[in-house]
Amino acid sequence: MIENIKEVILCKYGEVVLKGANRGDFEKKMLKELRLRSRRIGNFNVFYSQSTIYIEPMDDEAIERIDEMYWHAKHVFGFVGVSRAYTCKKDMAEILEVVRTLMPERLRPYKTFKVEAKRSDKRFPLTSPEISNEVGGCVLSSVRGIKVDVHNPEVVLRVEIREKEAFIHAGQEKGAGGIPYGSSGRGLLLLSGGIDSPVAGFMMAKRGVQLEAIHFESFPYTSERAREKVLELAKILTDYTLRIRVHIVSLTKIQELIRDNCDEDYFTLLLRRYMMAISVKLAHQYDCEAIITGESLGQVASQTMKAINVTNVLSDIPIYRPLIGMDKEEIISVSRKIGAFETSVLPYEDCCTVFTPRHPRTRPELESVLAEENKLDFDALVEEAYSTRQIVVVKHFGDNKNEEI
Ligand code: ATP
Ligand code: MG
């Protein structure tokens, strides 16, 4: 039996390699993200070498928890591929021993394979094609039924002769993609309990936006359970972001005043303008450079071009709507992928669905909306709702924490 054989996780960069002068900053962020996670799991050494980040377990407990670490590696933005590799001495006999004893388990699900060998250590006595040949032969004799297909293999077995050791791995999985979390600045996500807004948050987080979240509720018209559902959705997003601060704003008083004083056809539009005004205020206070919503063009009456414009004009910072051109089916497939769907479809009321108009305006003119809005003291109500908000910090590791405003 071979000694000193170890299992490590390899994380391969995506578009970060194209980043020229900023590449170093991006790499640092990705390392930091992995280290924040690895520290919570066990004693892992996380280091960079040759466009790859390595995660190496340093004691028995870490070895035991490598599955968990692997899950985390797949949730860090910036990596296109993640795989589990065995390392051994740079010695052909040892390499073949690893292939014979440990790789069959990895290769058995596949019918065809090819070997790709790479030598960054040119002093290694065999050339890359020679390594591929020997390793390929070894696979054919130890995995029954598998065949070589050099053009379109189901799996690639990679042998890399690196500076200190040899790495052997197969079945690289997709990483989370995107660019490192936080590398694009901060954005404020309007998070409801629906399907769309968690997906919107995920998509912007993937493009490096650090998320701050705001949720509007209307207790007792919306329930405690509805709030818990939203916090659960935020928790699901922390698979990728580790933590998210959620500001919870009550719209009860505003909604009752709108109901009692304004034309029913405008209820939703007025409410959405309050939501936007409060969000803009919060975005400024928390240095968010954009607001993010889950709006998709034409999905509902308040998401026609004209209706979106009624809220859009209130913001002096950009509003990102990553779902604007997506169909519901496409949105649902992302929602399932990030594990949010089951929670999103739990049937609790959202403040947008209480006091809904029977005939909402789909082509509203701003002047008519303003005429209705002016029946109330908009600014004072915005200020009051804003200053009575609650803050919950949702964490991936550990329990939620309330924060003072
Ligand atoms: P979702 O599935 O995200 O709830 P939706 O299709 O139900 O979206 P709307 O209710 O019109 O659409 O909301 C559009 C967007 O406005 C949401 O994606 C979200 O960004 C924001 N939003 C709606 N309701 C709330 C809320 N209660 N708190 C915070 N943001 C909200
Ligand atoms: Mg909604």
Side-chain angles (χ1 to χ4, degrees), residues 102 204 257 264-265 282 317 335:
L102 296 168
M204 297 321 302
L257 284 169
E264 180 188 318
D265 293 0
L282 191 90
I317 55 176
S335 171

Side-chain angles (χ1 to χ4, degrees), residues 92 119 121-131 134 161:
M92 209 52 213
R119 287 186 313 166
D121 173 6
K122 301 292 178 204
R123 291 164 309 176
F124 192 73
L126 274 69
T127 63
S128 297
E130 286 167 346
I131 302 170
E134 289 216 19
I161 312 293

Side-chain angles (χ1 to χ4, degrees), residues 9 34 38 41 44 55 65-73:
I9 297 167
L34 282 171
S38 71
I41 299 170
F44 291 90
I55 308 172
R65 296 183 73 178
I66 195 162
D67 285 351
E68 234 174 298
M69 192 61 234
Y70 184 60
W71 182 91
H72 278 281

Side-chain angles (χ1 to χ4, degrees), residues 189-200 213-218 222 230 247 249 251 268 271-272 275-276 279 292-296 299-303 323 328 331 344 349-353:
L189 171 66
L190 273 70
L191 182 62
S192 71
I195 296 169
D196 304 331
S197 47
V199 171
I214 184 167
H215 174 67
F216 297 96
E217 62 176 20
S218 197
T222 62
V230 169
H247 301 258
V249 177
L251 293 179
T268 308
L271 183 68
R272 297 192 64 79
M275 289 164 74
M276 186 53 73
S279 301
I292 302 159
T293 78
E295 290 163 308
S296 163
Q299 197 188 75
V300 288
S302 58
Q303 293 175 31
L323 315 187
K328 199 76 190 185
I331 299 168
S344 283
E349 292 282 301
D350 182 70
C351 64
C352 286
T353 55

Side-chain angles (χ1 to χ4, degrees), residues 191-258:
L191 182 62
S192 71
I195 296 169
D196 304 331
S197 47
V199 171
F202 165 78
M203 287 175 71
M204 297 321 302
K206 183 172 171 180
R207 296 314 301 167
V209 178
Q210 188 185 338
L211 300 180
E212 187 83 25
I214 184 167
H215 174 67
F216 297 96
E217 62 176 20
S218 197
F219 197 74
Y221 306 105
T222 62
S223 62
E224 187 62 34
R225 302 278 290 279
R227 177 195 278 208
E228 279 162 19
K229 173 185 170 180
V230 169
L231 294 176
E232 181 54 34
L233 288 169
K235 181 97 175 172
I236 291 166
L237 287 174
T238 67
D239 286 354
Y240 295 91
T241 67
L242 289 186
R243 72 200 291 283
I244 296 182
R245 185 162 39 206
V246 184
H247 301 258
I248 301 172
V249 177
S250 170
L251 293 179
T252 310
K253 181 173 172 187
I254 291 171
Q255 287 199 274
E256 287 175 342
L257 284 169
I258 293 176

Side-chain angles (χ1 to χ4, degrees), residues 38-211:
S38 71
R39 263 188 240 127
R40 304 302 290 253
I41 299 170
N43 186 8
F44 291 90
N45 184 21
V46 183
F47 61 97
Y48 162 85
S49 168
Q50 299 171 319
S51 291
T52 302
I53 288 179
Y54 296 78
I55 308 172
E56 181 184 6
M58 300 305 282
D59 58 22
D60 288 348
E61 196 199 327
I63 291 171
E64 291 246 312
R65 296 183 73 178
I66 195 162
D67 285 351
E68 234 174 298
M69 192 61 234
Y70 184 60
W71 182 91
H72 278 281
K74 284 193 285 185
H75 287 78
V76 173
F77 292 123
F79 298 109
V80 276
V82 182
S83 59
R84 297 169 71 145
Y86 292 107
T87 68
C88 67
K89 246 182 27 201
K90 293 193 288 187
D91 172 285
M92 209 52 213
E94 288 216 358
I95 293 170
L96 291 175
E97 185 66 15
V98 170
V99 172
R100 191 166 26 244
T101 55
L102 296 168
M103 296 317 283
E105 191 193 324
R106 297 276 169 86
L107 298 175
R108 220 163 269 133
Y110 306 102
K111 290 196 195 69
T112 56
F113 80 106
K114 80 168 173 182
V115 180
E116 265 178 19
K118 218 164 70 184
R119 287 186 313 166
S120 39
D121 173 6
K122 301 292 178 204
R123 291 164 309 176
F124 192 73
L126 274 69
T127 63
S128 297
E130 286 167 346
I131 302 170
S132 295
N133 267 338
E134 289 216 19
V135 169
C138 178
V139 170
L140 288 172
S141 62
S142 45
V143 184
R144 251 222 308 215
I146 201 163
K147 291 196 178 70
V148 176
D149 181 346
V150 285
H151 301 296
N152 204 7
E154 285 179 17
V155 64
V156 179
L157 172 62
R158 294 196 160 83
V159 179
E160 301 175 30
I161 312 293
R162 295 204 168 214
E163 212 178 309
K164 294 203 185 91
E165 291 158 310
F167 290 81
I168 302 146
H169 55 113
Q172 173 170 302
E173 287 190 87
K174 269 195 156 162
I179 57 175
Y181 187 61
S183 58
S184 298
R186 287 146 72 85
L188 177 64
L189 171 66
L190 273 70
L191 182 62
S192 71
I195 296 169
D196 304 331
S197 47
V199 171
F202 165 78
M203 287 175 71
M204 297 321 302
K206 183 172 171 180
R207 296 314 301 167
V209 178
Q210 188 185 338
L211 300 180

